[in-house]
Amino acid sequence: MRAANAALATSGTVSTELALAGAPMVIAYRIDGLSYLLMKRLVTAKHITLFNIAADRRIAPEYIQDEATPETLAKAVGRLLTDPIAAAEQAAAQTAALDLMGRGGPDPSELAADAVLRVIATKAAS
């Protein structure tokens, strides 16, 4: 992922991993039509990619359902491959959004271990 000049990915863990690796990307997401209609009524978020949500803006372009055509995706990825300034700006914005999400903060495994130790201490004291 670190060696990628650009990526085409689905929203989810892989988009966060790509952002952590500094790879600019285009997001494509398609699900079956009925599920999409249900989700469209239930989900009110403006974005589907976590770092786009955290930044409250579209850093990585998102193409959902019928927008995710081969032509549209090829054009969007092609822009990242042929415009190094746009790719670098997107990668930097992704990094800033990851910082908003808590990257560089306390180690999550240490936070979890501390929480478990607090529960154990509370149970032992009672």
Side-chain angles (χ1 to χ4, degrees):
M1 289 183 178
R2 290 191 189 281
N5 293 327
L8 175 60
T10 186
S11 179
T13 304
V14 71
S15 59
T16 302
E17 291 174 349
L18 283 162
L20 286 166
M25 71 195 81
V26 172
I27 303 297
Y29 202 81
R30 290 185 66 122
I31 57 176
D32 71 86
L34 182 58
S35 295
Y36 177 70
L37 289 174
L38 291 171
M39 293 305 297
K40 192 172 180 180
R41 291 180 183 259
L42 296 173
V43 177
T44 59
K46 294 184 284 187
H47 310 288
I48 63 168
T49 306
L50 287 177
F51 60 80
N52 282 351
I53 293 169
D56 195 28
R57 69 184 184 97
R58 188 166 285 189
I59 296 168
E62 298 175 336
Y63 297 94
I64 314 304
Q65 284 307 101
D66 295 335
E67 295 174 342
T69 65
E71 297 80 16
T72 302
L73 299 174
K75 183 177 178 181
V77 173
R79 177 175 179 262
L80 293 174
L81 292 172
T82 58
D83 186 344
I85 293 171
E89 287 173 351
Q90 182 178 325
Q94 290 170 181
T95 298
L98 292 172
D99 290 341
L100 290 173
M101 295 168 58
R103 185 183 76 127
D107 181 355
S109 60
E110 289 180 19
L111 293 174
D114 289 342
V116 170
L117 290 173
R118 281 193 303 276
V119 169
I120 292 169
T122 303
K123 296 289 184 187
S126 56

